[in-house]
Structure formats: structure tokens, C-alpha cells
Amino acid sequence: MSTEIGIWVAGFLTLAIMSFLYKDNPVYKAAEAIFLGVSAGYWTVYMFFNVVKPLLIDNLVKGNFWYLIPLVLGLMMLARLLPNIGWISRWPLAFVIGITAGLNFYAFLASDVIGQIEGAIKPLNNWGGEHLLKSQGLWNTLASIGVISTLVYFFFSKEHKGLFGKTAGIGILFIMVGFGGSFGYTVMARISLLIGRMYFIFSTWLGLAS
Amino acid sequence: MRKEIPLFITGLVGIVLILQYFSPNKSINGLEGIFTNWMQIIAAFSMILGVLNLIRVNGDKIYKKRKNWGFSIVIIVSLFATLIIGFANIGGKSMYNRKILRTNGTVVGNITKDVMSHNGFKVTDASFGIMFKALVDATQKEKTISSILPKSLKTGDLRAKFDKMLPIVRKRSHKSIEIVNNIGRQVNVELESSLKKMNSQSFNESILRVYDNLEKTILEENKNFKLENKKLIDENIKAQLAFLFKNIDTANSNLKYYKDIKVFITEFNDFLSKDKDLIAKLDENIKNSKSYNDFYKKSSVLFALKQNNKLNDFLLKNILDTYLNNIYVAKSYKNAKVNILKSLSGNKDLINALTLNIENKLTQQYIKDFNKYVSNTEQYISGNKYVKGDAIIKATYKPIIAKLYTTEKKKIASVISAELKSPALLKKLKVNQLFLTSLIKNSKSEVTALGISEKSSEFIMQKLLEGGGEYKLYTLEVGSSFMEIYRYIFTPLSSTMFALLAFFVASASYRAFRARNKEATLLLVAGFLVMLGAVPIGEMLSIPGVFSVAEVSDFIMNVPVMSVQSGIMIGVALGVISTSLRLILGIERSHLGGD
Amino acid sequence: MEKFFEKLLNIDRKIIFLLIALSTSVPLFYFYPQKIIANKASRKYNDAINKLEEKTKKGEEVVVLISGEYDPGTVPELSPMARATIKKLLDMKVKIIIMGLVPMGPPLLMEEFNELLKEPKYSDVKYGIDYVNLGYTVGNAVVIKGMVKNIKDKYPVDVMGTDLNELPLMRKVKNFDNIDMIVNFSSMGGGVKTWIQFAKKTTEESMDIVFGCTGVMVPESYPYLNSGQIQGLLGGLKGAADYESLIKEPKNATKYIFAQSIAHVIIMLFIIIGNIAFFVTRKKRV
């Protein structure tokens, strides 16, 4: 059993959250409220020491007055709190959007379009190997069909009819199997985290499991 | 104006960032870094915006006493508590300065100035331990401990000395504040007289004599005690002696410092040899011991004293440890008093005794000695290169974990530095780092490390690891109280919230996951196979050579899942790209709102 | 019969919760050795890492950059794979650089690292020569972009404030051209995407990226594996257990995966029972 006060606090908070499973109760609500308050506080402090201090304050202190611009833009952001001048916050927002758009433009093109199209047209002729069903060629072919039919399925500008409709039909099959697989992994991930919590309770905290 | 300027900003920034992909021009390339810095600053402000909003909404709720307004108070209180600890830094200068010292995962205490100085003592003491070991290693190498002892010292008549001391000890072996106070006074008187009488040579001799006999006694005792490994006992005694040597060594240059230890040692040896009950008990313990460790524990004089209950914790624990530590380590007279009171709360007798003693001139002298001692140590460690520094930092170099040494019987290597904020400070101390590194390297034995600040801890750890051999690290984990909040409140709350999803996923699957039609069945079967394939138990359902769950789930992941995700990814990316272009060109304006 | 199934359909969900709680906790009290068959993605990860060995055997110096981008909430999934990977790299005498794009990343990686270093086997592993911890720095993509050209741009000092020039390892490693592989452990949205987008651009094929992620991120990461944008993928606890078994070093993930097995079986049983009950009672409803 742990002798650390912190671990005990963590243990009780864990139980407090889990108590929600029985039913919504004041203990859970209190833990939830603590979570809200602490995380808001944590991120504020974090932002201050990792962003505001090194990037803004230090630069201004050094005499780099270009950094007055983000300061002003940042303060404009706070204008949202005042209904009359709330529109001012669009300026910093516009800046952020501009950067995100500019950064995403090329990056997504390279990684998620060109890279993925390359991936979808891998060699289809490699049918050898011990077993047809396991051959890379078959997998590659099916994967290419999967990518194309999925894209077709999500293409709503044209009515799903004829060959196009049939491809979309194949697409939905792929999508269903694909989502099924995704579901499997999501379940796995959730369970893993729960196991982690259980391990915390029974091992780290109570010292029962080895 | 309300729309034009934002449109212009978005367009300008976006175009600059796109251009820099294609431009070798350094100034444009640099702009990206600056812009993203700015973006982060703005993001930080939106965080503040969020917090202000949270306060406003919950404040309103509390003010109007809406439903569940009590929880809003909890939100506000925990928010401000976190903010205050993060910013206002109770007890430190910033979130990085307030440290909590841990050893082996147990919080020892907050490093306030007082605790700092207290720990400073221990750490310094530890470095002396290593230093002495190195000294012995270097000069004596493999010689046995007894051969180190001057031959003339081997024949002291301990009994006679004990007889002389016994009445004093007897008198003291009762409880009550009065007696504790008396001890304090008498120790001081004796110290004064012994100091007058003795020079460093005679001081050494007397201690050696005591231990020489102690060794014999223990060895004799050992004859009756059947232990498979006699080597261990020898080492054991060596360890005890090494501890003593450390004192002697230090005493050479700092005679006054160890006067208390000397008296203490003499006293308890006295006590041991004359008190029949105690000896009987000791004998019994030794005979009943089952293992080496057991034996060691039981034969330990300290343990025996404690068991006997004739001396309370005062002599046992505190004279050597706290009493000295606090007095010597304190920066000032006043500070010393505070230190003692703080660290000894819970032992009223002791507090009274020490408070009384601190009024004593001698005590004040200790403090002066301490400063001198520290500077000596500093010189010693850094090879006569005196490194200037804050008194507390110096204190951390003061030699070491005497306590750990005696209680854990391990060669202890420990360090370092009180630096809490500046890495530069650590640099300054490089000479000492080198010294330590070589020490640790040479002692291929179990090493215990203790660090104060995060940086020094990491340093010690690395140095220890460089040294080779086995180690026991007294974890050097140090965190700010802000990090404690993160670790013990934020983390369990957030990860449990996520973990709850496991329950809901399970219950939702039970209720809603139905093979209603062809598509749903596909989804279900694929999900099943992947879930099975993800765990070893799934293999039980495989039919060798015909059907393998692992392979089927591999296929599902590599072909359908991959291709669907890839298709979605391409689609999303194209969407992102076109939206980005629309935003930059000002075609997309929905984010600017209606008016 | 139908009544029974109807009751079953309306079973109190607390019973499901209880069974899930039991299935994820009780197995933790046992260490049940299981045969783990690594999936293709994990095997690729293993191959990619083993490929480094060819170089180290020739006596060439191999440097791997490990970036930790996860927080304590996902430790159960990511720390075991980080531990196993670091161990394998240490065994191969590969030089390791630790960094992170989220604040808790490097400390969590170092926790595993330091635990390993306590083994006598690694007593000759030296800081500054065999590994370096750069710590966390703010900036995400920009950090990676900067490091591609010059690591010192983004990390002038290591986590302890030591100038990189004073660390022998970092004197040799100037930028990503000197790095043989990037290992990314992430629980953050986007995951390895940022690395693919910004780390590989200028170094082309010279450097491999392998990725360890939480189970939730696995599906979205497979396309990168298929397209060769990453060379290996450890997905969630399964990936961690796979890798532990591939390097024959069963630890926490292998321990947890037993509980995971039981929990999966329970959930699947529920789904099966739910479906049976659904079909039995359907007629009545129609």
C-alpha cells in the first residue's frame, strides 16, 4: 500500500470518477468540478510558462518590439468578452486561420494526397508467394479498389447510379469492414486505459497486484 | 472594415506561408517561425479567454444560486488554487523553484530554506563519505581495516573508560525534560573540557581506541553466533569503522565539529558495556538472529539502545542527526532555532532541550564553526579549488549521509547541488562534478544517490550510471508542487474519465451492435475479428492451416481499414487544401460571422 | 424463453459495468504466459529497427531520435512500447536522442530509460555519449522544421541546460541528415502526421520513421504504413505486447494483454448474447 499522500488523493479521485458508473452523484460531480478547475488552471499556467513567458515576455524584454503585434492581437482576442467590441477578435482569428491555412496547404498535399495516392498504386503484379490469399499483389489490388471505391462513395456530386453506383456499392462494403476494424481497435484502446487505471488502483495504490 | 481587414490578414499570412515552401529566401523562411510563435501567443490568449469565460459563467451561477451552484464553487476554487500554486509559487520563486524532495518515492519534505539547509547537511556529509572512501582506496587499497589502525591503539582498556563514564550515563538514562536538558548541558560542559584537554591527535586516538575495542567485542560475540559467511561480518565491521574513519578524518581539520560525536560514541559504548540488562538483551538478540541482516540489525549498538528503552530517541537519533545538522547547517543563530523547532516537532522533550541549548554560547560557536567547516569541505572536495557560492550551496557540499551510512550499511555516493534555478550554477561546479565522477567510477559498489534539485539529480544519476556496478538510486525525483497537482489530481482525473469510456463502449455494444442487415453484419464481423486478433486468446479460435484469426485480422487492418482510411484521408486533405485556398483568397468568409 | 431474452435485453447496465471492471482487474493478479502472434505492422516495426543492426555491426554509428508525445493518461499503452524499443536500441548499441513535443513526453520516456539503465548490463551507457535528453520545446511542426536543418536552432541546450557542443554525441549530430531513424510515440491528434509532413521533406529516403500510437489512432495510421511514409507501426497495447514478444522481453504489456483478452471476450459475449436476444424477440416486436 502506498505511503504517498499524492497517490491516495489520486486513488480517491479515481474512485470518485468511477462512482459515476453507479449513478450520477455529488462525489462524482465534485471530482468533475475539480477536474474542470484544475485543468483550466493547469493549461493557463502551462501556456504562461511555455508560451507567454518565453515567446512573448522574453522577446519584449529583449527589446524585440515586433512582439507587440501578437500581444495586441492576443488582447484583441479577449474582446470577445465584451459584446460591443466582440468583432475585434476576428483580427487575431483571421491571423490564426491564415497561418493554419498556409501551413496546411502544402503539408496536407504532400503527406495525405500525394503520399496516399502513391500508396494506393503500389505494384499489383506481385502475386507469387506461398498462398494466393496472402500474396502482396492481391492485397495491393484490393487496397487500391478499396481506396478508389471509398473515394467514389464519398463523392456526392454525382448520383450513385450505373458503374459509379456499383463502385460506390463496393465502397460501402469496404467502409463497413473498415469501420468494424476501427471499432475493434477503439474498444481495445479504451479497455487498455481502463486496465491502466485498474493497475494503478490495485498495484500502485493498494499494492495488492504485483 | 470589420471584414476587410481580417480578410486581408488571412490572405497575406497564408500567401507568405505558402511562398516560403518554394522560396530559398531565408528571410521568408524565418517568417514562418515568427508567425507560428505569434500564433501560439494568440492561442495562449484564447486559453485565457476560455478561463475568463469559465469564471464568468460559474460566477454567475454562484451569484444567482442556480442549480448545483455548489459545484461551481468547487470549479472556481480548484481553478484559483492551481493558478496560485502555479504563479504565486508558495515557497518558491516560480513553479520551477518550489521543489519537493523525494527519496525512493517518499516525500521527505518541501525544500524551503530551512529544509534546504537541513538536506544540505546530509548531502554534504554524503560527499564526505565518498571522499573518505576514495582516500582509503587510494592510500590503503586492499589493506584490511585493522591494518589501518595504528598498532599502539590496539590495546586500550575500554572497560576502565566505561567505568568512569557509567555514572553519568546512568543518571541520564531516564526520561523527562529535565534530564534531557541536563544531558544537553552536561554534554556541552564535557565538550568544552575535552576540547581544552585534547588536541586533534589525542582525539583521534581516543576514538580509535573505542572502536578498536568495539571491534573486538563484536568479533567475540560473533564466535557464538553461527554465520555461514564470516566475510560479511568483517565487512560489516569495516563499514562501521569506515564510518568512524570518516569522522576522524574530518576531525583532523575540524576538531570541534566532531566533539559531540566523540562524546556520543564514548557514552553509548560505556552504556553498552556496563548495563547488564542491555548486554543480555544484545546477546540474546545475536543468538536468535537468523540471518546476517538480522544479526546486523540486532547487534547494532544503536538498535540495542533503542530496544532497551533506556535512552529515548533523543540520544539515539537526534544528537547525531538532527541536533547537529540543524545547528551546524543553519545560516544564522535564529535560523538554527527555527530549524530545530520545525524538524523536531513531535519530540517535545527534544525541542525543549535544544531550545535551551541554543541559548548556549557554545551553540552559537557551532554555527561559526559550521561556516568554517563548510569552506574547508568545499576546498577538500574541489581539490583545493575554492568555489565561491551561496552558503546553502556550500552546505550541500558538506559531507554526507552519515545517517544512511549507518542505517543502510551501504557505501554511499551522493551529491550535489542546491542549485535550483540556474543551470549556469551547475556549470560553475564542474570541478566538483569531475571529482565525483571519478569517485563514483572507482567505487564499483552499491551506490546510493541523493539529489536535491532536478538538474543535480539527473546529473548524479548519469554519473552513477557511468560508473558501472550496482546502484541503488534514491530517486532523485523532484517536482514542483504544481507538478504534484498535475500528477496526482489532473492525471488520475483525466485518465479515469477516458477509462470510463471502456464501460460505456461495452454497454453500448451490447445494446446497439446488431446484425440487422448486410452492412451491419460486415461491421460486426470485422469488429469481432479485429478484437480477437488483438489479443492472444483469439488464437484459440484458429484452425491451424485453415483459418488464423491473427492473419484475418491482419488482412482487415491492412486492406479494408487501411484503404478506407486512406480514401477518407485523401478526401479530407483535398477538403483542407481547398478550404485553405478559399480562406486565403477570401472566398470563404463564414468564419467572419454574419454582420 | 422470449421473456427470458427480453429480460436479458433490458439487463441493468451496472451488471455489464461490473463484469468489465472484474475482467480488467482480476487478471492483473496473475501473470499468465501467452503466445503472442505479432501482427504485420508490429513485424515491420521490428524489421525496421533490426535493420539498424546491419549498420551497427559494421561499426558504423547509428543515431535514433525518439520523440515522446504522450501524457500520463496513455502511459498503459505507450510506455511499454517505449521501454521495449529503448531496450532493443540499447542492446544494439544505438545512440539515442530523446525529445518531445508535449511537456510530459520526455520525462515519461526518461522514466522508462532510467529504469533500464539500472540494469548492470547497461552500466557502460553514458549520458552525452550514448544518449542525450533534449527535453520538451514548444512549437510542434516548427520545431521539427527547424531541427531538420539544424538541431541547435530549436535546442541550443539539453534538458539540463548543457550546451549541445559539450555533449560528444550532439557534436556529431547536427541535423536530421545525421539521424538514422525517428521513433515517435504519440497519443496526440495528428500523431505521426506532423513528422511525415515536416521531418522527411528534405532528407528524402535517408531516414526511417516508425510510429507507436494508442489503439484509437491505429486505423488512421495504417495508410501511412501502407504507403511507406512510415516503416513500422506499433498500435496500442497489442503493438506493445507484440514488440515485447518480438524482442523476447515480456513486461507490462504482456501482463496487461491477458486482462485485455478477458475483457474482449466478455464484450464479445455480450454482443453475441445481445444479438441472439435481439433475433429471438424480434418476431414479437414486429
Side-chain angles (χ1 to χ4, degrees):
Chain A
M1 202 171 292
S2 175
T3 51
E4 255 183 276
I5 300 166
I7 297 284
W8 280 82
V9 173
F12 282 118
L13 288 175
T14 304
L15 293 185
I17 296 289
M18 285 190 172
S19 73
F20 180 75
L21 293 171
Y22 183 69
K23 65 176 189 197
D24 198 355
N25 62 74
V27 177
Y28 168 77
K29 279 219 177 70
E32 197 188 27
I34 292 173
F35 178 55
L36 206 60
V38 167
S39 53
Y42 171 77
W43 287 111
T44 309
V45 175
Y46 165 82
M47 281 290 190
F48 181 81
F49 282 101
N50 284 297
V51 178
V52 178
K53 170 127 198 321
L55 296 185
L56 183 64
I57 298 178
D58 289 356
N59 270 314
L60 287 176
V61 169
K62 265 188 249 161
N64 189 348
F65 293 113
W66 283 105
Y67 277 80
L68 284 173
I69 299 173
L71 175 65
V72 171
L73 286 173
L75 290 173
M76 284 170 136
M77 203 74 197
L78 300 185
R80 292 220 135 193
L81 288 173
L82 311 165
N84 299 340
I85 52 163
W87 59 272
I88 290 186
S89 67
R90 283 179 200 158
W91 290 29
L93 219 57
F95 182 79
V96 172
I97 288 171
I99 289 181
T100 323
L103 282 178
N104 284 345
F105 181 76
Y106 184 82
F108 272 76
L109 190 66
S111 74
D112 288 10
V113 180
I114 299 172
Q116 286 313 307
I117 291 173
E118 274 174 16
I121 45 173
K122 288 209 297 198
L124 306 179
N125 57 353
N126 183 12
W127 292 78
E130 30 167 351
H131 198 300
L132 178 69
L133 288 176
K134 290 181 198 170
S135 74
Q136 199 56 48
L138 177 70
W139 285 32
N140 286 350
T141 312
L142 287 173
S144 301
I145 295 171
V147 175
I148 293 162
S149 58
T150 304
L151 277 172
V152 167
Y153 177 79
F154 282 114
F155 195 77
F156 297 119
S157 313
K158 187 172 154 53
E159 205 182 340
H160 288 185
K161 260 190 186 168
L163 178 65
F164 192 77
K166 272 180 189 157
T167 318
I170 296 171
I172 188 77
L173 298 182
F174 267 95
I175 289 169
M176 282 303 147
V177 176
F179 285 178
S182 303
F183 168 80
Y185 260 89
T186 309
V187 171
M188 184 184 99
R190 300 299 175 222
I191 297 286
S192 305
L193 294 187
L194 179 60
I195 291 171
R197 282 332 281 166
M198 290 297 187
Y199 188 75
F200 167 80
I201 293 177
F202 290 105
S203 180
T204 317
W205 180 24
L206 300 175
L208 298 174
S210 57
Chain B
M1 273 303 271
R2 288 187 178 191
K3 280 191 178 177
E4 284 74 16
I5 293 183
L7 282 177
F8 174 73
I9 295 176
T10 306
L12 179 75
V13 172
I15 287 167
V16 167
L17 284 183
I18 292 177
L19 276 182
Q20 60 89 32
Y21 277 106
F22 308 103
S23 161
N25 188 322
K26 269 199 176 171
S27 55
I28 288 191
N29 273 316
L31 268 183
E32 186 197 2
I34 294 170
F35 277 3
T36 37
N37 278 354
W38 291 8
M39 184 171 86
Q40 277 161 359
I41 294 168
I42 295 168
F45 274 93
S46 23
M47 179 76 225
I48 295 170
L49 178 73
V51 171
L52 291 176
N53 233 338
L54 187 77
I55 296 172
R56 197 175 65 170
V57 170
N58 284 289
D60 194 50
K61 216 170 164 185
I62 297 167
Y63 183 70
K64 292 182 179 153
K65 301 219 167 152
R66 290 221 194 96
K67 204 186 161 203
N68 285 335
W69 61 281
F71 297 114
S72 293
I73 295 183
V74 179
I75 293 178
I76 300 283
V77 168
S78 42
L79 168 67
F80 278 98
T82 316
L83 288 178
I84 288 168
I85 292 173
F87 285 111
N89 58 75
I90 306 159
K93 275 185 183 164
S94 80
M95 65 187 265
Y96 299 108
N97 286 354
R98 181 157 155 83
K99 307 280 180 181
I100 287 182
L101 178 75
R102 282 150 194 290
T103 57
N104 269 357
T106 319
V107 178
V108 170
N110 297 339
I111 301 194
T112 54
K113 251 189 185 172
D114 297 332
V115 183
M116 257 316 292
S117 51
H118 178 89
N119 289 316
F121 174 86
K122 294 190 173 179
V123 173
T124 327
D125 222 7
S127 29
F128 240 84
I130 320 167
M131 203 169 62
F132 182 75
K133 197 203 162 290
L135 205 76
V136 172
D137 281 355
T139 55
Q140 306 293 341
K141 295 235 163 124
E142 295 305 310
K143 285 185 189 173
T144 60
I145 293 292
S146 54
S147 70
I148 303 170
L149 294 170
K151 275 175 189 160
S152 60
L153 291 181
K154 285 201 163 181
T155 51
D157 185 357
L158 201 57
R159 291 270 153 184
K161 200 167 164 42
F162 288 160
D163 284 339
K164 228 161 77 194
M165 293 292 284
L166 186 64
I168 313 169
V169 182
R170 288 267 159 174
K171 249 190 256 162
R172 293 172 187 169
S173 56
H174 299 278
K175 328 137 212 184
S176 99
I177 299 170
E178 231 176 289
I179 290 179
V180 177
N181 288 345
N182 275 336
I183 295 175
R185 287 193 202 102
Q186 286 182 32
V187 165
N188 284 335
V189 172
E190 281 163 30
L191 278 176
E192 256 172 330
S193 67
S194 57
L195 272 173
K196 276 175 200 158
K197 276 181 246 156
M198 283 202 277
N199 55 25
S200 76
Q201 182 62 23
S202 63
F203 176 65
N204 278 352
E205 285 175 2
S206 65
I207 293 184
L208 282 173
R209 218 175 293 131
V210 170
Y211 261 79
D212 190 28
N213 283 282
L214 181 68
E215 184 181 21
K216 276 184 191 162
T217 323
I218 295 173
L219 281 171
E220 249 169 63
E221 230 96 68
N222 288 347
K223 279 179 195 163
N224 304 324
F225 179 66
K226 280 172 200 166
L227 263 186
E228 284 132 29
N229 197 348
K230 214 154 190 307
K231 245 189 183 173
L232 285 175
I233 300 177
D234 290 342
E235 271 174 23
N236 200 349
I237 292 162
K238 279 183 204 165
Q240 274 204 7
L241 287 171
F243 173 55
L244 171 74
F245 290 155
K246 189 196 64 154
N247 297 337
I248 296 165
D249 186 60
T250 318
N252 276 328
S253 49
N254 296 282
L255 180 61
K256 283 178 195 169
Y257 174 63
Y258 277 101
K259 59 208 167 202
D260 274 15
I261 294 175
K262 182 225 138 208
V263 172
F264 175 64
I265 290 167
T266 330
E267 269 178 8
F268 74 59
N269 282 328
D270 247 352
F271 193 82
L272 255 186
S273 54
K274 280 299 170 187
D275 193 314
K276 279 180 186 164
D277 289 353
L278 185 64
I279 290 175
K281 188 141 198 166
L282 186 63
D283 280 346
E284 199 189 315
N285 281 334
I286 292 170
K287 275 173 199 158
N288 295 335
S289 299
K290 280 170 192 157
S291 66
Y292 161 70
N293 276 332
D294 206 12
F295 157 72
Y296 194 81
K297 252 192 194 169
K298 289 180 176 171
S299 67
S300 148
V301 277
L302 293 173
F303 185 79
L305 285 170
K306 195 175 183 182
Q307 280 238 317
N308 195 257
N309 260 341
K310 292 220 169 171
L311 287 174
N312 59 20
D313 282 348
F314 173 57
L315 266 180
L316 175 64
K317 210 178 162 197
N318 295 318
I319 274 207
L320 223 162
D321 181 18
T322 326
Y323 179 56
L324 278 177
N325 288 2
N326 284 290
I327 295 174
Y328 285 127
V329 143
K331 254 176 149 180
S332 69
Y333 164 69
K334 205 176 157 190
N335 210 349
K337 196 166 168 179
V338 175
N339 279 353
I340 290 159
L341 290 172
K342 274 199 174 173
S343 60
L344 300 178
S345 56
N347 191 339
K348 279 185 189 169
D349 295 9
L350 194 68
I351 291 170
N352 285 332
L354 296 176
T355 317
L356 267 176
N357 278 316
I358 204 127
E359 311 293 345
N360 192 312
K361 272 187 187 169
L362 207 71
T363 311
Q364 293 168 32
Q365 181 64 38
Y366 292 171
I367 295 160
K368 283 182 195 158
D369 291 347
F370 164 69
N371 288 329
K372 211 160 109 195
Y373 175 70
V374 164
S375 74
N376 284 342
T377 312
E378 190 81 62
Q379 284 177 30
Y380 209 137
I381 290 181
S382 60
N384 291 325
K385 277 176 198 158
Y386 183 67
V387 186
K388 269 193 181 179
D390 184 87
I392 289 180
I393 292 166
K394 285 189 211 160
T396 61
Y397 281 88
K398 230 178 117 200
I400 219 232
I401 302 191
K403 193 174 153 202
L404 281 175
Y405 211 101
T406 43
T407 54
E408 302 246 332
K409 318 297 181 231
K410 274 160 195 165
K411 292 168 199 158
I412 294 161
S414 174
V415 186
I416 275 205
S417 124
E419 57 70 39
L420 285 172
K421 17 185 167 166
S422 151
L425 214 50
L426 199 68
K427 253 185 193 172
K428 249 195 218 168
L429 307 173
K430 208 168 224 170
V431 195
N432 304 349
Q433 291 181 11
L434 291 174
F435 174 77
L436 260 152
T437 311
S438 67
L439 277 187
I440 295 164
K441 258 185 194 162
N442 292 331
S443 64
K444 293 256 176 196
S445 58
E446 189 157 343
V447 176
T448 305
L450 176 81
I452 287 184
S453 77
E454 218 159 346
K455 292 200 163 85
S456 62
S457 302
E458 281 225 15
F459 171 79
I460 299 163
M461 197 142 58
Q462 282 153 14
K463 294 301 160 195
L464 289 175
L465 292 165
E466 283 173 16
E470 295 168 44
Y471 302 107
K472 177 175 181 185
L473 290 169
Y474 267 74
T475 311
L476 320 161
E477 211 182 318
V478 190
S480 61
S481 46
F482 180 70
M483 283 319 285
E484 304 284 313
I485 290 184
Y486 181 79
R487 197 187 299 253
Y488 297 125
I489 297 178
F490 184 75
T491 301
L493 283 173
S494 65
S495 40
T496 313
M497 293 242 181
F498 270 111
L500 277 195
L501 291 174
F503 293 104
F504 298 127
V505 160
S507 126
S509 320
Y510 176 64
R511 273 158 218 286
F513 217 0
R514 303 270 187 262
R516 283 171 211 271
N517 50 34
K518 187 179 66 183
E519 283 83 13
T521 313
L522 269 179
L523 189 88
L524 190 84
V525 171
F528 251 62
L529 287 167
V530 168
M531 275 171 79
L532 274 177
V535 289
I537 232 170
E539 259 330 277
M540 289 180 177
L541 299 176
S542 301
I543 308 156
V546 184
F547 171 78
S548 156
V549 169
E551 276 174 24
V552 172
S553 110
D554 239 3
F555 173 78
I556 294 175
M557 291 311 290
N558 279 287
V559 181
V561 171
M562 189 285 295
S563 56
V564 168
Q565 292 287 342
S566 182
I568 292 174
M569 206 179 257
I570 295 171
V572 168
L574 288 174
V576 167
I577 293 163
S578 65
T579 313
S580 296
L581 260 185
R582 287 165 62 86
L583 282 166
I584 290 166
L585 299 177
I587 302 167
E588 175 72 55
R589 301 174 178 211
S590 57
H591 63 288
L592 295 175
D595 53 311
Chain C
M1 193 63 182
E2 277 180 21
K3 269 190 184 169
F4 167 74
F5 278 113
E6 224 157 71
K7 267 190 183 168
L8 207 59
L9 272 181
N10 297 318
I11 192 175
D12 188 352
R13 63 178 190 166
K14 277 166 205 147
I15 293 172
I16 303 177
F17 291 169
L18 182 70
L19 283 170
I20 293 294
L22 288 176
S23 66
T24 48
S25 53
V26 175
L28 291 175
F29 290 84
Y30 307 95
F31 194 97
Y32 180 75
Q34 305 144 90
K35 192 186 160 208
I36 293 167
I37 299 177
N39 64 26
K40 207 174 163 191
S42 308
R43 290 201 303 271
K44 278 190 178 173
Y45 183 98
N46 188 40
D47 294 344
I49 293 212
N50 285 346
K51 221 170 69 190
L52 299 173
E53 205 163 15
E54 293 166 18
K55 265 185 149 184
T56 50
K57 273 185 180 160
K58 274 188 242 158
E60 283 176 50
E61 191 167 282
V62 175
V63 183
V64 168
L65 178 84
I66 307 182
S67 178
E69 282 142 41
Y70 60 103
D71 53 19
T74 46
V75 156
E77 290 181 278
L78 294 169
S79 275
M81 56 176 85
R83 183 191 180 279
T85 306
I86 294 170
K87 187 177 165 63
K88 179 71 189 171
L89 293 176
L90 285 176
D91 285 343
M92 298 193 309
K93 308 257 179 249
V94 165
K95 314 284 179 201
I96 299 171
I97 300 171
I98 300 277
M99 63 164 282
L101 298 176
V102 302
M104 281 311 283
L108 288 171
L109 287 176
M110 284 314 287
E111 229 166 71
E112 303 302 315
F113 208 127
N114 290 327
E115 202 57 40
L116 280 167
L117 288 182
K118 284 181 196 165
E119 291 178 21
K121 196 170 150 191
Y122 303 120
S123 57
D124 55 343
V125 175
K126 291 186 182 64
Y127 186 81
I129 296 167
D130 299 306
Y131 72 102
V132 163
N133 178 9
L134 295 178
Y136 158 75
T137 195
V138 69
N140 280 323
V142 182
V143 176
I144 303 176
K145 272 193 105 173
M147 289 175 80
V148 169
K149 292 170 204 148
N150 185 4
I151 293 176
K152 267 172 224 142
D153 268 4
K154 291 297 160 190
Y155 284 104
V157 292
D158 75 351
V159 75
M160 288 158 63
T162 315
D163 194 305
L164 290 199
N165 287 325
E166 286 178 30
L167 302 166
L169 176 59
M170 297 314 289
R171 272 193 295 243
K172 284 177 262 176
V173 181
K174 297 277 181 220
N175 53 36
F176 278 12
D177 290 335
N178 310 115
I179 285 174
D180 297 86
M181 178 186 268
I182 288 170
V183 184
N184 181 214
F185 296 110
S186 174
S187 70
M188 299 299 153
V192 77
K193 191 183 290 224
T194 327
W195 286 95
I196 295 170
Q197 286 174 343
F198 298 102
K200 273 210 155 179
K201 209 169 82 185
T202 52
T203 47
E204 310 261 294
E205 296 304 309
S206 65
M207 178 184 55
D208 285 355
I209 297 180
V210 292
F211 185 41
C213 65
T214 59
V216 179
M217 293 160 69
V218 170
E220 67 197 55
S221 308
Y222 259 88
Y224 295 127
L225 182 68
N226 175 63
S227 62
Q229 284 162 298
I230 57 175
Q231 277 63 40
L233 174 68
L234 292 185
L237 195 56
K238 161 73 176 158
D242 279 355
Y243 196 56
E244 282 185 358
S245 85
L246 284 169
I247 66 162
K248 297 181 182 63
E249 176 72 18
K251 285 295 270 197
N252 275 359
T254 313
K255 188 184 171 73
Y256 293 162
I257 202 102
F258 178 47
Q260 185 95 39
S261 288
I262 309 293
H264 279 200
V265 169
I266 300 262
I267 291 177
M268 284 186 287
L269 283 178
F270 269 122
I271 296 176
I272 293 168
I273 294 168
N275 273 287
I276 295 172
F278 172 75
F279 283 108
V280 171
T281 56
R282 187 161 67 164
K283 279 181 202 158
K284 200 180 159 192
R285 254 177 285 142
V286 173

